[in-house]
Amino acid sequence: MLEQVLLGVGIILDIILYLMFFITYINNNNQNYSKTAQETVIDLLKENPNINVIKNNSQFFSKYNIKRKIVKLSNNTYDSSSYFSNAVASLLSGYELTKNKALSYLSYVFNELKVISLMPVIVITLSILVNNAMDAKIYTFFLAIILIYQYIMNNVTIEAIQKVDCHDNKLNSILNTFNKCSTLAFIITLTQILRMFVIIMNI
């Protein structure tokens, strides 16, 4: 019974996370900021001559390449002056500004970072696939790795947002939503690891 409750909690939190992101996108995608996303990246990283910002026509999501130090803005984001696009550009720029050593370690596993991740969906999918205690023991290992990754990313995201504080309340509000989504992703994984222990202990 408890394991089903924890799975249900995880699914509900998953839905809430993506709804938060989607609603934030809808509410802020048509409201214009004073700059385009491209200009925001250039302005935030103007003291770093090695950083590059490019238009990534082949991808739907904007990304930050850790190893190559490139901010890849999607076609819809690059020339956009919407608050949402500028918030995305700000966060991706913030990842470069943090100079956090944890990003160097993450680059061995993940080359690129996005504002929103599919990791919570993967976590819930893995949890649903668990049928017995043996499965739970195996999946706990994978979920623990994901949890460590999310913990690191949550800390890096907080630091990145602090670095790009632009003194614009609306923009900062969107960035805070990104941070809440990151924290919620961590909580989702934590609940599913707890579910694995419940299955293993046959509670």
Side-chain angles (χ1 to χ4, degrees):
M1 178 64 180
L2 182 55
E3 65 177 83
Q4 294 302 318
V5 170
L6 289 170
L7 178 59
V9 169
I11 293 173
I12 291 171
L13 291 178
D14 227 20
I15 294 171
I16 291 173
L17 187 159
Y18 290 105
L19 273 178
M20 281 173 56
F21 190 85
F22 181 71
I23 291 171
T24 301
Y25 170 78
I26 293 297
N27 288 340
N28 297 281
N29 194 46
N30 293 319
Q31 299 185 32
N32 289 335
Y33 184 56
S34 57
K35 304 174 185 176
T36 64
Q38 174 204 9
E39 291 170 341
T40 291
V41 175
I42 293 173
D43 185 51
L44 288 171
L45 303 177
K46 59 187 175 184
E47 295 183 6
N48 188 341
N50 297 319
I51 193 70
N52 290 313
V53 54
I54 63 172
K55 182 186 288 189
N56 193 3
N57 293 316
S58 61
Q59 297 291 331
F60 183 75
F61 293 105
S62 298
K63 303 175 181 179
Y64 169 66
N65 189 294
I66 306 172
K67 288 186 176 180
R68 298 176 62 191
K69 298 183 181 298
I70 297 176
V71 175
K72 299 180 177 180
L73 298 178
S74 68
N75 188 47
N76 292 332
T77 301
Y78 190 84
D79 294 315
S80 172
S81 59
S82 74
Y83 266 95
F84 187 85
S85 294
N86 275 276
V88 169
S90 296
L91 181 55
L92 296 179
S93 300
Y95 288 139
E96 168 62 21
L97 291 171
T98 60
K99 303 297 182 183
N100 196 308
K101 291 184 178 179
L103 286 180
S104 299
Y105 299 123
L106 285 180
S107 67
Y108 291 108
V109 183
F110 302 98
N111 284 332
E112 297 178 324
L113 302 177
K114 293 180 289 189
V115 173
I116 189 70
S117 170
L118 290 178
M119 203 69 76
V121 174
I122 295 173
V123 167
I124 293 300
T125 302
L126 289 175
S127 187
I128 291 173
L129 292 174
V130 172
N131 295 312
N132 51 55
M134 183 58 68
D135 288 345
K137 290 177 182 178
I138 296 172
Y139 281 69
T140 298
F141 172 76
F142 294 108
L143 290 176
I145 292 175
I146 293 174
L147 187 72
I148 293 170
Y149 164 77
Q150 290 174 329
Y151 176 78
I152 293 172
M153 279 307 306
N154 196 35
N155 288 333
V156 171
T157 298
I158 291 172
E159 187 178 339
I161 290 172
Q162 291 172 344
K163 291 288 185 180
V164 299
D165 185 1
C166 61
H167 306 294
D168 184 293
N169 291 334
K170 182 176 286 292
L171 200 58
N172 285 334
S173 176
I174 301 171
L175 289 170
N176 286 332
T177 298
F178 292 162
N179 182 41
K180 289 176 183 177
C181 288
S182 177
T183 302
L184 196 53
F186 176 83
I187 293 172
I188 290 168
T189 304
L190 201 58
T191 61
Q192 298 316 295
I193 288 179
L194 180 58
R195 179 174 184 262
M196 296 303 107
F197 281 113
V198 168
I199 294 173
I200 293 170
M201 302 299 294
N202 195 26
I203 298 176

